[in-house]
Amino acid sequence: MLGNPHERARTMPAAAAPGTTAGKAGTSTAAGVATGPADGAKGARRRAGRPSAALLDQAGITAAALELIGKKGYDGLTMAALARQLDVAPSALYNHVASKRDVLLLVEDHLAALVDVSGFGARPWEDAVRTWAWSYRDVFAQHTPLIPVIAVLPVTDAPQTLAMYETVSAGFVAAGFPEERIVSAIVALESFIFGSAYDVTAPADIFDAGSMAEATPHFSAAVRSLAARGDERPADVAFGLGLDALITGLGALRG
């Protein structure tokens, strides 16, 4: 088995990482060359005002969308607000993405590309699932406002997302899973992962019974017992426990 995934260093940037978004458009500067008044040096400069559409690319749009959602939540992501965030005219934005759904596909692909699927095909199935699930949870724990949207967003035309599912599915096939059970198994794991991502951000006293502690002695004692461990975050303990149970249960389906 792999070691505790939380011993590994994680870096999950909110903006697009190199190679994590598909089809980046080329970037060029706007026309115009200025000459310095003192030394005569020449260099290209962008004209004053809003950047031209040529300065936009999918990575920049993705990063701006994530920043906007981080500030204002999913409802704050509109095409007009995104254009303002990028400091471009809406018409320039529409040259690259046709709708809000297109923007969400870029975001979905960016996040999917951050999820670690390297264990599939390289390690035992159980270890591969653990690596994938812990990474998946930690990526979405940083972007919980997107969970209700991404969880039900069709994966049509999302190359990085489909690549993740293809790698995971191939790993399930190699492990002997019946083909008709693979998607259901992935959905079961994802449902647990998304819910656990919310738990990471829950307040530490979420289970404090307060004045009702005496009326709930068994529950309150269990809460105190968990807090007394002190070695791991309660969210991590719960995720590890549930994930092990799912892996054991799903493993029984293997041929």
Side-chain angles (χ1 to χ4, degrees):
M1 292 177 58
L2 297 178
N4 186 333
H6 286 78
E7 295 173 359
R8 302 191 305 270
R10 298 189 188 91
T11 54
M12 286 173 287
T20 59
T21 53
K24 293 181 180 177
T27 303
S28 61
T29 57
V33 177
T35 302
D39 58 8
K42 295 181 178 180
R45 293 182 181 175
R46 178 171 63 81
R47 289 191 298 266
R50 292 182 180 272
S52 70
L55 292 175
L56 289 178
D57 62 15
Q58 292 183 348
I61 292 169
T62 302
L66 285 168
E67 185 176 353
L68 187 59
I69 293 167
K71 291 177 181 175
K72 300 185 178 180
Y74 170 69
D75 290 338
L77 177 63
T78 65
M79 295 298 279
L82 183 57
R84 289 193 297 271
Q85 180 74 19
L86 289 161
D87 195 26
V88 299
S91 59
L93 180 59
Y94 280 107
N95 285 333
H96 295 268
V97 285
S99 65
K100 181 175 178 177
R101 183 182 182 278
D102 285 354
V103 176
L104 289 174
L105 285 176
L106 291 177
V107 170
E108 178 184 46
D109 253 8
H110 170 68
L111 296 180
L114 295 176
V115 177
D116 186 356
V117 294
S118 63
F120 292 101
R123 300 188 183 100
W125 174 80
E126 294 86 352
D127 289 350
V129 172
R130 284 190 181 90
T131 299
W132 172 66
W134 278 98
S135 174
Y136 205 155
R137 186 208 69 160
D138 289 347
V139 167
F140 276 89
Q142 295 193 17
H143 301 284
T144 53
L146 282 167
I147 291 175
V149 182
I150 299 297
V152 296
L153 184 68
V155 300
T156 307
D157 298 326
Q160 298 285 357
T161 305
L162 288 167
M164 179 189 75
Y165 284 129
E166 175 63 17
T167 299
V168 174
S169 297
F172 273 66
V173 169
F177 276 83
E179 191 174 57
E180 69 275 11
R181 295 293 191 95
I182 291 174
V183 172
S184 296
I186 291 173
V187 170
L189 283 161
E190 282 189 326
S191 299
F192 174 65
I193 288 166
F194 287 142
S196 297
Y198 279 116
D199 192 36
V200 172
T201 65
D205 61 350
I206 189 171
F207 289 126
D208 184 357
S211 62
M212 298 295 296
E214 291 186 4
T216 55
H218 296 92
F219 177 67
S220 296
V223 172
R224 288 193 299 272
S225 178
L226 176 61
R229 290 184 53 163
D231 54 344
E232 289 185 271
R233 294 185 302 174
D236 294 343
V237 175
F239 186 68
L241 178 67
L243 183 59
D244 283 347
L246 275 169
I247 288 173
T248 299
L250 292 174
L253 301 176
R254 298 163 64 177

